[in-house]
Amino acid sequence: MESRAEQDEKTLDLGWKNAQTIRSNLKSGVRDDDKVHHSKPPVKSFLRRTPLFSRRKNTSLVNRIIWLLLIWSVVVYILGVAGLWWSSNKVIEDNFSQQATDWVAKLDELGTPLYAANDEFLFQSIEEQIHRFPEVSYLRYYESENNSIIAQYASEKLGDIKVPELSSAIIEKLRINIDSNQPVFIQSAEESLSLFQVAAPIVTRSIRSDSMMDFDLDEDAKETYKIIGYLELGLDFSDYKNKLKKNIFIGSVAVAILFLVAAFFGRILIKRSLRPLTKMKKPLEQLARGEIDVHVDGEGDEEIVAIANALNTTIEALKSRDEELRKMANYDSLTGLLNKHNFNIQLKREVQRTIDENDSSALLFIDLDQFKHVNDNLGHAAGDRLLKQVADLLKNRIRSEDVISRFGGDEFTIIAKSINEPDARMIAESILKAMQEFVFIEGGQAFNIYCSIGVVLIGSEDFTAEEVFSQADMSCFHAKSEGRNRYHMFDLPEQEELRKSADISWSKRISDAIQNDYFTLFYQPIVSLHGDTSEHYEVLLRMVMENDDVIHPNAFLPAAERLGVAIDIDYWVVRNALRKISEFKADGRDVYLSINLSARIFEAKDLIEKIQRYISQYNVDTDRIVFEITEQTAVRHIEKASKTISELSALGCQFALDDFGVGFSSFNYLKRLPVDILKIDGEFITDMVKDPVDQSMVQAMIKIAKTLNKKTTAEYVQDAATLEMLKRFGADYAQGYYLGKPVRDTTRQNYEDALGHIDTNILPF
C-alpha cells in the first residue's frame, strides 16, 4: 500500500495537472507573460462588494405587506373590541344600577300596603306583575321588628339556588341610610350567584304637630321617618350580557371575513402593482454577476419607473466608466494609439498566428530623432503636440488590419500583417519619406522631425515575441548608429557581431559600476494582507549612468550573464541590501528585504561563506533576509538549489520561490525545495478579477501552499478589486503598483503614505 505522503504527493500533482488542463482548454490566444506594470479596469468591484440579493431566505414583498396589514388590522380590531366591551359593560352597569333603583322605588310603592293590610292576595298581585319581567330573580319583604321575611318571590331560573337572607350588617346600614334615595347594593359572597342584588328600607313619613289649632303655615313642617320593613331584590341581567357577547362575536367573525376578503383582493392588487418591480429581478441578477449589457424596463407606478430609470442611469455610467478604464488600460491617453501592454499582447498573437498559418509579417520599431531637442527647448506641452501629430501621420501610413502603438516616450511600433521583406522595406521607406516631408511648427519656429526605424520579419525564424522585439530594437539602434533618418533590416549574423560589441561595452560599464558603486537599489513594498505592520520590500537593482539616467537591469543583465559577471552583481546586491537592513535597524525600523539571486549563484563555491561574512559585518538579524530565486531556475538546478536553500535556511534566512506557477512544474519539485514563500506569478494576477480560470488557479496555488505550510505573495496587483479578492482567497502578501512603485529610498512615512489610499477593510492598519 502507498504511504500517506505518497498519496498526498499524487493528489497534489493530479490537482495541479487538472488545473493546468482546464486553463489550457479555456484560455484563447497567447497570454502576456511580460512583467509590465499597468492598470486593469476593475470589473464591477462595487457590485461584488455590494450584496444586491441577501443570502437569507427570500420572502415575498407582497406577502410581507399583506401580513403587515393583517397584523395591524387585527391589533386595531382587538383594541377596538376591548374598548367596545369595556365601554359597553360600563354603560350596561350604569343602566343596571338605574334600573335597580327604579325597581326598588316601584316595589317600595307596591309593597307598602302589604305591611298595612297584611293581605296575601295583595302580594300575589305583586308576583303577577314582576313575573312578566324575566330579569327579576327573586323578591323579599322583611318585617322590621325581628327582620323576618313576610313575603317572597323566586323565579324559576333561580332554581334550587339558596340566596342568603339580609345580614345584620346590611340591615344596620339600611337603618343608617334611612333618608337616602339610593338603595344599598349587596356584594354576594356566593360564587354561584351572578345577580345584581339591592336592598332598601320601606319607610313611612308623617308630619308631627302639637295641635291643629296652633298650625302655622309659615312654620317649617317637621317630618318623621319610620321603618316598617325592608325590601331585598335580585336582578339577573345575564341575558343582556349574553346577547352583547353574541353580537360582538358575530361582528368579529364578519369583520374577520371582510379582512380575509380584503387581504385576498389586496394581494392581487399589490402583486399586480409590483409586477414591474418583479420583472427587474433578472436584469439585476445579471448586473450582480458583472454583466452590464442589460436594460431595466420601467413601467407602472412612478416610483417603480423612477427606480428603473435610476438603474439604467447607473448601468450607463458603469458602461462609460468601463469603456474609459478599458481605454486607459489598453490605449495611450495622449495619442489614442495602443499602449505598450496591449501591443505586447498583439505581438504575441501575431507571432503565434504566423507560426500556425505559415505566414510572415513585419515589426517596425520607430524612434524619433529630434524629439528630445523639441521637448527640452519648447517644453513638454510642445512635445505632446508633436507626438500627437506624428501619431496621426503614422496612422495614415498603415492599413486597417495593421497594429500601431505608442510604445513609450518618442517610440512607436507597427505590426504590418501578412507581408514579405520587400513589402516591409516599402512601408519603412514610405514612413521615412513622410517624416522627411513633415514640418513641426511651434511658436513661429519650424522643425524637421526625422526618425530611425528598425525592421524585422516575423515568422521567418522560430523566435519568441520577446526575441522579435529585441531584434527590432537592435535594428533601430543600428539605424541610429549609422547616422539616423534611415531604416535597418534585421540581419541575424550582423546582429551577433553587434551583440559582441555591445557586450564588450557593457563589460566595462558593469565593472565600473561594481567598483565605483554606480549601481543603486530601489525598494518596492510587499504588503501583508493580515495585519502584519512590519515593512517588507523587494530589492530591485538599477544602474546609474554619468548623466544620472537610470538603466533597467534588462539592459545589462543579459550581457552580464554572457560575460560571466552575474555572480559579482549578485554579491554587490546582497552586500548592499544587508547594509541597508543594518541602517533600518539603527533607525528603529522593523524591515524585511527580499533579495533576488540569479541562476549563476548556484555555481559560486564561496556563496555561503560570503553571505556569512556580510551578516557578521553588518550585524544583521538573519530572519529579516528573504532570498528569491525563480521557479524555473530552482527546477533547472534542483539539487544545488535545494542544498543552497537548506544551508542559508540554517543561518536563519528565508527563501521565496519567484514566478511560481508559470513554469508548470510538478509540485513534487516544490516539496523538495525547502522554501518559505511562494510568489505567484503576475500572469495569473493581472486579469484575475474578470478571468474565472485565473481565479481557480490562484486559489489552487494558495490552498496547496497552505497545505505545505508555506506563505504566498501575489505579484502585479494593479487595483483594489484584485487586492480584495486575494485577501478573500487567503493570500498572505501582495505586491504591485497599486500598493507602491519601486523607489530609490524609503521612510516609514513614505511607506504609510503609499498605502493611505487603500480601504482599511482590506488592509486593517
Side-chain angles (χ1 to χ4, degrees):
M1 295 181 63
E2 294 180 330
S3 67
R4 178 62 182 272
E6 291 172 334
Q7 292 175 350
D8 290 345
E9 179 179 330
K10 286 189 175 181
T11 301
L12 290 172
D13 286 342
L14 181 59
W16 181 249
K17 290 175 181 177
N18 289 339
Q20 299 290 3
T21 302
I22 294 172
R23 182 177 190 274
S24 61
N25 289 338
L26 295 181
K27 291 285 183 181
S28 60
V30 180
R31 290 189 53 87
D32 175 26
D33 56 6
D34 284 344
K35 296 185 177 180
V36 179
H37 296 287
H38 57 278
S39 297
K40 286 286 182 182
V43 181
K44 292 74 189 177
S45 59
F46 86 100
L47 289 173
R48 298 180 185 275
R49 288 195 291 267
T50 306
L52 289 177
F53 304 102
S54 174
R55 294 192 179 187
R56 64 185 180 85
K57 187 178 180 181
N58 294 330
T59 57
S60 169
L61 177 61
V62 175
N63 291 339
R64 195 183 311 169
I65 293 174
I66 293 298
W67 276 112
L68 287 174
L69 290 175
L70 281 176
I71 292 171
W72 177 244
S73 299
V74 169
V75 170
V76 172
Y77 176 72
I78 291 174
L79 292 176
V81 170
L84 177 63
W85 177 258
W86 179 82
S87 61
S88 299
N89 275 324
K90 185 66 176 174
V91 171
I92 290 173
E93 288 180 3
D94 291 343
N95 288 336
F96 288 172
S97 299
Q98 186 61 44
Q99 288 188 44
T101 302
D102 294 342
W103 269 107
V104 168
K106 184 176 181 180
L107 292 174
D108 185 355
E109 181 181 349
L110 292 174
T112 300
L114 179 65
Y115 287 90
N118 195 17
D119 187 353
E120 180 179 349
F121 295 103
L122 181 60
F123 186 73
Q124 288 180 355
S125 66
I126 295 174
E127 283 184 317
E128 291 176 358
Q129 291 189 48
I130 64 177
H131 186 71
R132 296 195 300 268
F133 299 93
E135 67 268 21
V136 179
S137 290
Y138 73 91
L139 171 64
R140 291 173 180 166
Y141 286 103
Y142 290 83
E143 186 264 330
S144 62
E145 295 299 330
N146 53 13
N147 302 333
S148 61
I149 299 173
I150 62 174
Q152 64 178 343
Y153 161 80
S155 69
E156 295 178 358
K157 291 171 60 178
L158 196 60
D160 296 333
I161 298 175
K162 301 297 184 181
V163 181
E165 297 180 5
L166 292 177
S167 64
S168 57
I170 294 176
I171 291 176
E172 183 62 28
K173 189 174 182 180
L174 293 174
R175 290 182 186 278
I176 295 173
N177 296 331
I178 190 172
D179 57 347
S180 174
N181 293 324
Q182 294 293 328
V184 173
F185 293 90
I186 302 170
Q187 183 67 37
S188 176
E190 292 289 335
E191 295 182 359
S192 60
L193 295 178
S194 59
L195 301 175
F196 208 83
Q197 297 174 264
V198 294
I202 300 177
V203 181
T204 60
R205 295 173 176 82
S206 62
I207 300 175
R208 186 179 63 186
S209 178
D210 292 335
S211 92
M212 292 298 293
M213 299 303 295
D214 294 332
F215 182 74
D216 186 356
L217 294 176
D218 295 330
E219 183 179 350
D220 292 335
K222 295 182 180 179
E223 288 187 332
T224 60
Y225 300 88
K226 182 181 180 182
I227 297 176
I228 61 174
Y230 304 99
L231 167 65
E232 181 186 3
L233 178 66
L235 298 173
D236 183 3
F237 297 112
S238 59
D239 287 341
Y240 298 100
K241 290 186 176 180
N242 290 336
K243 287 181 180 179
L244 175 64
K245 292 179 181 178
K246 183 178 180 181
N247 290 336
I248 291 177
F249 174 76
I250 293 173
S252 299
V253 172
V255 171
I257 293 173
L258 289 175
F259 278 161
L260 291 175
V261 172
F264 175 76
F265 288 102
R267 187 178 188 279
I268 294 175
L269 291 174
I270 294 173
K271 194 170 183 179
R272 183 174 298 173
S273 299
L274 295 180
R275 189 173 298 160
L277 200 60
T278 306
K279 290 181 180 179
M280 295 182 187
K281 180 180 179 181
K282 185 176 180 180
L284 285 176
E285 287 176 344
Q286 291 177 288
L287 198 60
R289 292 194 298 266
E291 303 173 17
I292 61 173
D293 191 19
V294 296
H295 178 76
V296 181
D297 293 327
E299 58 183 17
D301 298 327
E302 61 180 15
E303 292 84 0
I304 296 177
V305 174
I307 292 173
N309 291 339
L311 285 171
N312 286 325
T313 301
T314 302
I315 291 170
E316 290 302 318
L318 287 173
K319 288 181 179 178
S320 299
R321 184 207 65 175
D322 282 4
E323 180 62 23
E324 187 65 26
L325 290 175
R326 187 186 67 82
K327 288 181 179 179
M328 291 173 60
N330 296 309
Y331 293 87
D332 175 52
S333 59
L334 177 64
T335 63
L337 302 178
L338 291 182
N339 61 15
K340 179 179 180 180
H341 164 68
N342 203 357
F343 182 82
N344 283 331
I345 295 175
Q346 298 295 330
L347 178 59
K348 289 183 179 182
R349 290 176 179 172
E350 185 61 18
V351 169
Q352 188 63 41
R353 188 195 69 81
T354 57
I355 295 173
D356 296 340
E357 300 178 9
N358 194 26
D359 196 6
S360 66
S361 298
L363 171 63
L364 288 78
F365 189 97
I366 304 167
D367 191 305
L368 301 185
D369 293 335
Q370 281 81 29
F371 177 76
K372 191 174 187 302
H373 174 73
V374 173
N375 206 47
D376 291 345
N377 290 278
L378 301 181
H380 293 292
D384 289 346
R385 285 189 286 272
L386 170 59
L387 291 173
K388 291 171 68 175
Q389 293 181 30
V390 171
D392 293 336
L393 183 149
L394 294 176
K395 281 192 290 187
N396 293 328
R397 291 287 166 177
I398 63 173
R399 301 165 299 173
S400 59
E401 65 267 25
D402 296 338
V403 178
I404 180 172
S405 81
R406 180 193 173 198
F407 200 77
D410 60 344
E411 298 170 341
F412 297 86
T413 51
I414 295 175
I415 299 175
K417 298 184 178 181
S418 298
I419 62 172
N420 52 28
E421 182 176 338
D423 293 332
R425 291 181 181 274
M426 188 181 301
I427 293 174
E429 291 170 355
S430 173
I431 292 174
L432 282 175
K433 183 178 179 181
M435 289 298 298
Q436 290 165 359
E437 295 173 353
F438 170 69
V439 178
F440 177 64
I441 300 175
E442 180 72 21
Q445 300 182 62
F447 296 87
N448 293 108
I449 306 298
Y450 303 127
C451 67
S452 300
I453 306 175
V455 186
V456 61
L457 284 180
I458 304 173
S460 59
E461 299 286 347
D462 188 16
F463 292 116
T464 65
E466 292 79 9
E467 291 170 333
V468 168
F469 181 83
S470 178
Q471 292 165 1
D473 188 12
M474 285 189 290
S475 295
C476 182
F477 178 79
H478 194 137
K480 282 181 175 291
S481 65
E482 289 181 342
R484 303 175 184 269
N485 189 23
R486 67 191 64 224
Y487 77 90
H488 184 82
M489 198 79 189
F490 175 77
D491 180 69
L492 186 58
E494 180 183 38
Q495 294 303 325
E496 289 294 337
E497 293 298 323
L498 288 174
R499 177 180 291 174
K500 291 179 181 178
S501 299
D503 284 352
I504 295 172
S505 175
W506 276 119
S507 176
K508 185 177 186 310
R509 290 185 185 180
I510 293 171
S511 178
D512 290 343
I514 293 174
Q515 295 178 10
N516 302 312
D517 280 341
Y518 291 156
F519 287 126
T520 187
L521 298 180
F522 277 56
Y523 306 89
Q524 184 175 21
I526 301 173
V527 180
S528 169
L529 299 182
H530 300 286
D532 180 6
T533 57
S534 301
E535 297 178 64
H536 297 252
Y537 299 95
E538 180 178 359
V539 176
L540 302 172
L541 179 66
R542 300 290 187 268
M543 179 186 288
V544 182
M545 304 299 289
E546 292 82 355
N547 58 358
D548 288 334
D549 286 345
V550 177
I551 307 299
H552 193 276
N554 288 346
F556 57 84
L557 282 184
E561 288 281 347
R562 291 191 294 270
L563 294 168
V565 294
I567 295 177
D568 297 329
I569 295 177
D570 280 339
Y571 284 147
W572 188 95
V573 173
V574 171
R575 177 169 54 84
N576 283 274
L578 267 56
R579 179 176 57 82
K580 194 66 179 179
I581 293 177
S582 178
E583 293 176 3
F584 285 140
K585 181 180 179 181
D587 293 337
R589 296 170 63 185
D590 186 16
V591 177
Y592 294 74
L593 291 186
S594 294
I595 306 168
N596 290 284
L597 299 177
S598 69
R600 299 276 184 170
I601 200 70
F602 298 114
E603 300 174 4
K605 297 180 180 180
D606 58 348
L607 173 65
I608 305 301
E609 179 184 346
K610 282 197 173 184
I611 291 179
Q612 281 181 314
R613 185 164 68 249
Y614 296 151
I615 292 172
S616 176
Q617 178 181 352
Y618 297 112
N619 191 24
V620 176
D621 295 330
T622 53
D623 61 340
R624 287 342 188 229
I625 306 170
V626 182
F627 290 111
E628 290 189 14
I629 55 172
T630 65
E631 177 189 12
Q632 292 178 332
T633 297
V635 172
R636 194 181 307 123
H637 305 87
I638 186 68
E639 299 298 336
K640 291 182 178 179
S642 180
K643 180 182 177 183
T644 302
I645 293 171
S646 297
E647 290 176 343
L648 290 174
S649 297
L651 297 178
C653 304
Q654 299 184 68
F655 249 92
L657 196 61
D658 198 8
D659 298 341
F660 180 71
V662 74
F664 302 100
S665 59
S666 169
F667 279 101
N668 182 47
Y669 289 117
L670 180 60
K671 295 177 67 176
R672 295 171 59 187
L673 293 170
V675 297
D676 305 283
I677 302 168
L678 303 182
K679 298 192 72 173
I680 301 172
D681 189 78
E683 178 183 353
F684 302 99
I685 305 299
T686 51
D687 294 326
M688 181 179 67
V689 172
K690 62 181 180 181
D691 192 333
V693 179
D694 281 346
Q695 292 176 23
S696 299
M697 298 290 286
V698 171
Q699 283 182 292
M701 285 186 270
I702 292 174
K703 185 176 181 180
I704 292 171
K706 289 185 180 296
T707 302
L708 298 174
N709 199 26
K710 302 180 189 300
K711 294 183 178 180
T712 53
T713 299
E715 299 181 289
Y716 300 97
V717 176
Q718 305 297 336
D719 50 53
T722 304
L723 185 65
E724 185 177 12
M725 185 174 288
L726 286 168
K727 182 179 181 182
R728 192 166 68 249
F729 288 170
D732 298 292
Y733 298 94
Q735 179 181 0
Y737 271 24
Y738 179 70
L739 297 163
K741 297 180 180 180
V743 293
R744 200 162 188 169
D745 204 352
T746 181
T747 64
R748 177 67 187 185
Q749 187 61 47
N750 292 340
Y751 178 80
E752 294 175 354
D753 290 345
L755 303 179
H757 66 288
I758 300 174
D759 188 350
T760 55
N761 291 324
I762 304 177
L763 297 182
F765 56 84

